[in-house]
Amino acid sequence: MAVLLVLLPALFVLAAPGARAADGDPTVTLSTKEAGKGGEITVSGSGWRTEALLMLLICGQSSPERGVIGGTNSCANADGRAVTTDKKGAFSKKLPVAEPPKPCPCVVHVATVTGEQALADVVFAVAGHPAAELPQQTGGGKLAVLATTRLDGDSSLLTWFGAPPARRLVFTVGNLGSAPVKDPVFEIGTAHGVYAPQWEERQWRGTVAPGGKAQIKLPVELPAGAHGDYQVSLRYGQKVLAEQPWGVGRPWGVTLFWVLLCLVVPAAVFRIGMAVVDKVRPRPVGSHRTRTPARWTMPGRRRGTRDRHGTGVGHDPRPYDTNTDTNTGESTHTNTDSNAETNTDSNANTAVLPWFTPDSAPSENRPRPRPTTKGQA
């Protein structure tokens, strides 16, 4: 009876459908171990950080021992749920059952989103979903980073205008195991601020012999417009091998573009508005849009007038009419524009320039002085 009382708590722990990697690690339990697509299960946990944001996913091609092979690409991300732990580090959340993109064996994957990384996987079977064996692990190979990692590459001009920043993570690994490692698959994670890293798979083509080493270069890319302090992490299997900080400058070209846009657009709108107002505003009575300046004609230079020498200035080039006097029978020549000339002459005589007085103005009727000859008074 005493032995049974001692073993009873251990039996309850083994029978519970949960996962605990070691003492002090967070735990996760499920309301059921198997369910079909469209169903719903309750996921509960304890031992997590207080008021931590957690992510709940159903993932394929996974096991609690090897973790989620392929990262979140093996999970049903569209049907995942988020939950926040209470002040005691516990939570309970309903999770819809969905088929992951990879075949089973499957797990319910719980991981922190912000702050210090923590995760737990619990075996779960999706009824009716295909099943396949997990990929074979490489023999006894074990990779480790032997030198400090670095980021190679420079930003281009397009990055200044918001293009995605890109670098190459360069590191040297050594095989500390007894078997070669062929075409290892690494995971590159980028984290900004307090958020957990977002992992992406990067496969390196090559073989690292036992006791050998190799330099590996993997591409790293951030979202468009990213700026600030980032943390680049390198993970192989479930172990983080290295971390590298990355400070990304602000894309000032985008800021300059918006500043210019805020200045040019209001100016253009103002000019268009002023043009419309000028076009539709009412005009005063008798005003015209365009005015032709009046032509000023000097007095005495009018049509049909003659100067004192008898030559017509601006005269009418029409020929004179020939009339016959009924009494004498003699023909006389008259100008067809005699009336115009008379009117013009009278206007010319009455027009006085401002620098002449009526008495001193030149006249065509005034006799010309006769020239004097030598010896005459």
Side-chain angles (χ1 to χ4, degrees), residues 118-169:
L119 56 89
D121 297 325
V122 184
V123 176
F124 179 73
V126 180
H129 190 62
E133 295 184 359
L134 295 177
Q136 294 293 330
Q137 275 186 313
T138 307
K142 184 179 180 181
L143 297 180
V145 175
L146 302 180
T148 305
T149 61
R150 70 177 189 271
L151 291 172
D152 285 352
D154 296 322
S155 299
S156 62
L157 181 62
L158 296 178
T159 306
W160 201 65
F161 288 93
R167 294 289 189 275
R168 288 182 302 173
L169 182 64

Side-chain angles (χ1 to χ4, degrees), residues 37-235:
K37 179 181 178 181
E40 193 174 58
I41 60 175
T42 301
V43 183
S44 304
S46 61
W48 296 83
R49 192 172 66 251
T50 60
E51 297 181 353
L53 180 62
L54 305 180
M55 170 181 61
L56 312 179
L57 295 172
I58 296 179
C59 303
Q61 194 175 305
S62 308
S63 67
E65 295 77 17
R66 297 184 58 180
V68 180
I69 301 175
T72 55
N73 292 331
S74 302
C75 305
N77 298 312
D79 298 292
R81 292 293 183 269
V83 63
T84 303
T85 60
D86 56 18
K87 294 182 179 180
K88 296 182 179 180
F91 72 91
S92 180
K93 183 73 173 181
K94 291 186 177 181
L95 178 67
V97 178
E99 294 184 351
K102 298 292 184 178
C104 286
C106 301
V107 298
V108 173
H109 179 72
V110 182
T112 56
V113 178
T114 60
E116 184 181 356
Q117 185 179 10
L119 56 89
D121 297 325
V122 184
V123 176
F124 179 73
V126 180
H129 190 62
E133 295 184 359
L134 295 177
Q136 294 293 330
Q137 275 186 313
T138 307
K142 184 179 180 181
L143 297 180
V145 175
L146 302 180
T148 305
T149 61
R150 70 177 189 271
L151 291 172
D152 285 352
D154 296 322
S155 299
S156 62
L157 181 62
L158 296 178
T159 306
W160 201 65
F161 288 93
R167 294 289 189 275
R168 288 182 302 173
L169 182 64
V170 182
F171 57 96
T172 302
V173 297
N175 188 357
L176 306 180
S178 59
V181 178
K182 182 179 180 181
D183 299 337
V185 178
F186 298 92
E187 289 182 280
I188 300 294
T190 55
H192 181 54
V194 298
Y195 293 96
Q198 301 294 325
W199 299 97
E200 294 183 3
E201 289 186 354
R202 296 287 187 270
Q203 186 173 20
W204 180 73
R205 299 293 181 180
T207 302
V208 183
K213 62 180 181 179
Q215 187 181 57
I216 299 176
K217 299 180 180 179
L218 300 177
V220 182
E221 184 173 322
L222 298 179
H227 62 277
D229 295 329
Y230 282 80
Q231 188 82 9
V232 180
S233 303
L234 174 67
R235 186 169 71 180

